[in-house]
Amino acid sequence: MTRIGFAYNQKPNSPTEISSRSSGASSTSLSNASPASSLSGADEFAEWDSAETIAAVENALSPYGEVVRLEATADFPEKLRDARPDIVFNIAEGLGGPNRESHIPAICEFTGVPYTGSDPFTLTLCLDKARAKESLAFNRVPTPKFVVIRTPAQIGRAMDRLKYPVFVKPVHEGSSKGITEANYCQTPTDLMARAQALLSEYDQPVIAEEFLPGAEFTCGVLGNGEKARVLPLVAINFDALPENSLPIYGFEAKWIWDVPERPLQIFECPAKIDAPLQRAIERVALDAYQVTGCRDWARIDVRIDSAGVPNIIEINPLPGILPNPEENSCLPKAARAAGIGYDELIQSCLLAAAERYGLALARRHSPVAA
Ligand SMILES: Nc1ncnc2c1ncn2[C@@H]1O[C@H](COP(=O)(O)OP(=O)(O)OP(=O)(O)O)[C@@H](O)[C@H]1O
Ligand SMILES: [Mg+2]
């Protein structure tokens, strides 16, 4: 029977669980800052998956083989060697550092084990917002004008190169870690203050980019090559945010204001937009997918500039896949709008990867007794 290794990082339930899960490594930050010293404090493990998501993915994979859990802790190489899976289904965000998302795929590649999703290069590229934007810009895929700030001394040169308002972001984070309303800078003085705070808090470069005033969308993409296809677009409905908040789908909107008990009506899917705009967004999303070398699946954030042109905000080759519809996870939501259920979404990634490797995966006809 096919053995499917399942690589993931599980969010700790409590602070005492943190050291055993990460084997001492800070999860995603490059600094040794403790959660308590963080700007928000709450975002240390925002990228990792919950027990519920992990169980849902495992369940979705099970019709295609025996699923072997391989938590992506420091002993992953030994676990992988012992488990000898035919393929690894990878959703591991990694333990830390700017290449953290590529560690598990790189280990799989090194040991010759097929794995789902993008390769180490694409994962590292897309986790560097500046490098990803360089690739897009070189290939004429629209993305906001930006400046990279590596040290406090470089903030000054960024201050007069961009049109305001400017938005600043840590270069290597995801799940809106370090992206709050405070990152919206209306003046060079705001930029100086916020860039300085982010540089010291996240211990990594910051990008300052021109703030796009238009509507925002996210676009799920499934498959590879000619078969890559976009899912129905998700529009971000900023009217759902609390009064007087900025039109930003950042940390507050994702993790503070939107809770399962009181879900924000933040998404409209399929987005109600005219056909030419829809086609333009889909085109730019597919272009970004191909230019950065994404495989099997991804979610691409797009925002409209002042001239009405869709621009790429970022590419997520390890998309969020929360199973509970109340939790407002974009890719499962977009899939549902296309008539693709949660299990089928997970399986589509597995099957796209298997096809790349020429691996025949057969669905089991009936549940196998334990
Ligand atoms: N240049 C910009 N102009 C306007 N809004 C922006 C810009 N950059 C980021 N934003 C806002 O901030 C949000 C978060 O930014 P971004 O998608 O880059 O961060 P992220 O934390 O990596 O997101 P994810 O949770 O999708 O991984 C965007 O969804 C958008 O609302
Ligand atoms: Mg995003």
Side-chain angles (χ1 to χ4, degrees), residues 129 169 175-176 209-210 212 216 249 254 299 314:
K129 287 186 158 86
K169 313 192 250 191
S175 301
S176 285
E209 64 179 17
E210 291 181 356
L212 302 180
E216 183 168 330
Y249 188 45
K254 283 174 193 148
R299 211 200 71 235
E314 61 146 1

Side-chain angles (χ1 to χ4, degrees), residues 47 126-127 129 133 143-145 165-170 172-180 184 207-214 216-218 236 238 246-251 254-255 299-304 312-316 318 320:
E47 294 178 332
C126 295
L127 198 51
K129 287 186 158 86
K133 284 163 68 68
T143 187
K145 195 172 166 200
V166 160
F167 203 61
V168 286
K169 313 192 250 191
H172 291 301
E173 298 298 348
S175 301
S176 285
K177 291 180 63 164
I179 301 185
T180 69
Y184 178 81
I207 58 167
E209 64 179 17
E210 291 181 356
F211 188 82
L212 302 180
E216 183 168 330
F217 303 87
T218 192
I236 312 296
F238 294 118
L246 295 169
I248 293 166
Y249 188 45
F251 191 80
K254 283 174 193 148
W255 303 107
R299 211 200 71 235
I300 294 165
D301 297 340
V302 177
R303 196 154 170 152
I304 311 299
I312 299 294
I313 296 274
E314 61 146 1
I315 300 130
N316 298 287
L318 270 185

